Amino acid sequence: MGIAILLLLLLYKFIHGTFEYEKVTRFEMVLIPAYSLLMMIITLKEDSSLGKIMASIMLLILGVLIGLFQLSGIRIKTTGQVDKYQRPIVLVKRNWSYLIGWIIVFILIILFSAHYHPALNHHDIIDELFTEIIRDLFAIAYLNIKNEWFVWVLNVATSFTYDIFLAIYHPLIRQAIRRHH
């Protein structure tokens, strides 16, 4: 019962946060996608069968499309302030398109989990939901949570697409995540 309440609270925080402005950070827009790319390569290198390569290509294409869709509802706001490295502080509100894309990614993860782990049950699905919410709420969790290869592939495709196009179309975002000198 306690886990269910915790999950509901985290789910509420995640959904509510999707519709609030959050500060753009270099950690989330540069380091997390780079770490995900490294982990994708490592996990795929362990078993690079033709089936996994084909599935990865399909997931990369789907992930790019999802990342582009997630961008469609984004709202950006500048604060007029700068951080300690003299970079502008920029806020982003992700909105419905991000949430819908996140749900699609979650469904894909469950489908792939069910395919590769036929004994998947409702407890496993709840665990995966908990993990995905934690990762989205606390970016540092990416460094501590073990994932299947398909999770890394989807994360690379969606996050790189989302972050790259966000930076391309919004010069202030590029400035906000640039390296400090």
Side-chain angles (χ1 to χ4, degrees):
M1 180 68 170
I3 296 291
I5 292 171
L6 177 61
L7 182 60
L8 287 174
L9 289 172
L10 289 171
L11 189 59
Y12 172 79
K13 181 170 175 39
F14 166 69
I15 292 171
H16 190 262
T18 301
F19 300 99
E20 291 184 344
Y21 283 97
E22 296 177 336
K23 181 181 174 187
V24 171
T25 68
R26 182 174 175 76
F27 181 77
E28 288 181 1
M29 286 195 65
V30 177
L31 296 178
I32 292 299
Y35 178 77
S36 296
L37 178 62
L38 175 66
M39 293 308 295
M40 179 187 83
I41 292 167
I42 289 170
T43 56
L44 285 174
K45 191 175 179 183
E46 292 172 0
D47 176 16
S48 55
S49 65
L50 182 60
K52 281 192 179 177
I53 291 170
M54 296 303 290
S56 295
I57 292 169
M58 181 193 70
L59 286 174
L60 285 170
I61 292 167
L62 283 172
V64 167
L65 294 173
I66 292 167
L68 290 171
F69 174 73
Q70 287 180 310
L71 278 169
S72 65
I74 214 102
R75 299 289 176 258
I76 295 175
K77 182 166 69 171
T78 59
T79 64
Q81 300 173 329
V82 294
D83 65 11
K84 64 183 178 180
Y85 302 111
Q86 300 307 305
R87 298 178 295 205
I89 296 174
V90 180
L91 306 175
V92 173
K93 182 172 26 169
R94 299 175 292 184
N95 290 315
W96 280 106
S97 58
Y98 182 88
L99 184 59
I100 292 166
W102 186 91
I103 291 168
I104 294 168
V105 167
F106 179 73
I107 290 168
L108 286 169
I109 289 170
I110 296 304
L111 291 173
F112 271 76
S113 291
H115 176 74
Y116 286 99
H117 307 288
L120 186 75
N121 60 42
H122 72 282
H123 293 294
D124 297 327
I125 293 170
I126 291 170
D127 287 346
E128 187 61 41
L129 177 62
F130 186 76
T131 299
E132 289 300 314
I133 292 169
I134 292 293
R135 258 200 313 250
D136 205 274
L137 288 174
F138 309 104
I140 194 76
Y142 275 96
L143 306 177
N144 295 324
I145 296 175
K146 184 178 181 330
N147 288 312
E148 296 277 350
W149 62 272
F150 48 86
V151 175
W152 290 120
V153 171
L154 273 169
N155 190 60
V156 165
T158 57
S159 66
F160 267 104
T161 302
Y162 180 89
D163 294 343
I164 287 170
F165 279 92
L166 193 59
I168 287 171
Y169 290 115
H170 301 283
L172 277 177
I173 300 249
R174 275 195 309 276
Q175 291 175 21
I177 62 170
R178 75 176 187 268
R179 289 186 81 174
H180 58 85
H181 302 287

